[in-house]
Amino acid sequence: MSGDINDRLARLLRAVTLEEIKPMHLQSDALGAMPPPGSELKLEWKQAFAEGDPLAPTPDTKVFRPRYEFVVGYGDTTIFKQTSVFIIVFRLVDAVAFDELWLNEDLRKVFMEKQIQKTLWPLFRQHAHDGMSRLGMSPVPLPWLM
């Protein structure tokens, strides 16, 4: 990220405070058998946001509804899929600064695709690990985010 985006992101982060994170949907599906240990697995994941995010249920609140999906494949077969949907609530500390900064498309993208992802990633990693374990599969650890 460029210095300008970093400065604006820092200002945006000072304009909000994280109020709540709540999982709203957790689904783990075993779709095939785990291959033998040492087999090469295909790991895919993606993040998406609900249409209209962020919501503003009150003048001083912003709500995001990210969805995470993790898929483990072996060869051409999908063997596991984890889907998690969260509600993440931010309270506006400085609504004027937030509204001004939120107009910048690049800054919105960094906040939603990077900052929220870094905030929720540890929770999602645990969902994927727990989902595989509950289904009797050897968990595949998701990587750390840098």
Side-chain angles (χ1 to χ4, degrees), residues 18 20-23 47 49 64-68 84-88 90 112 114-127 145:
L18 180 59
E20 179 179 20
I21 298 173
K22 185 185 327 182
Q47 169 184 269
F49 287 87
F64 295 84
R65 301 161 293 163
R67 172 189 170 110
Y68 293 88
S84 300
V85 177
F86 295 91
I87 296 287
I88 183 167
F90 292 94
M112 291 176 74
K114 303 292 184 195
Q115 186 63 44
I116 288 179
Q117 176 186 349
K118 284 183 180 181
T119 301
L120 295 178
W121 190 248
L123 299 172
F124 180 66
R125 287 177 80 235
Q126 190 64 47
H127 289 175
L145 289 180

Side-chain angles (χ1 to χ4, degrees), residues 62-82:
K62 297 293 182 188
V63 177
F64 295 84
R65 301 161 293 163
R67 172 189 170 110
Y68 293 88
E69 200 171 273
F70 173 59
V71 175
V72 178
Y74 177 65
D76 294 333
T77 305
T78 297
I79 58 176
F80 175 79
K81 182 176 177 184
Q82 171 68 41

Side-chain angles (χ1 to χ4, degrees), residues 12 14-19 56 58-64 89-99:
L12 183 67
R14 285 191 299 272
V16 299
T17 185
L18 180 59
E19 187 170 281
T58 67
D60 66 340
T61 305
K62 297 293 182 188
V63 177
F64 295 84
V89 180
F90 292 94
R91 177 149 319 273
L92 300 183
V93 175
D94 185 342
V96 172
F98 179 89
D99 289 343

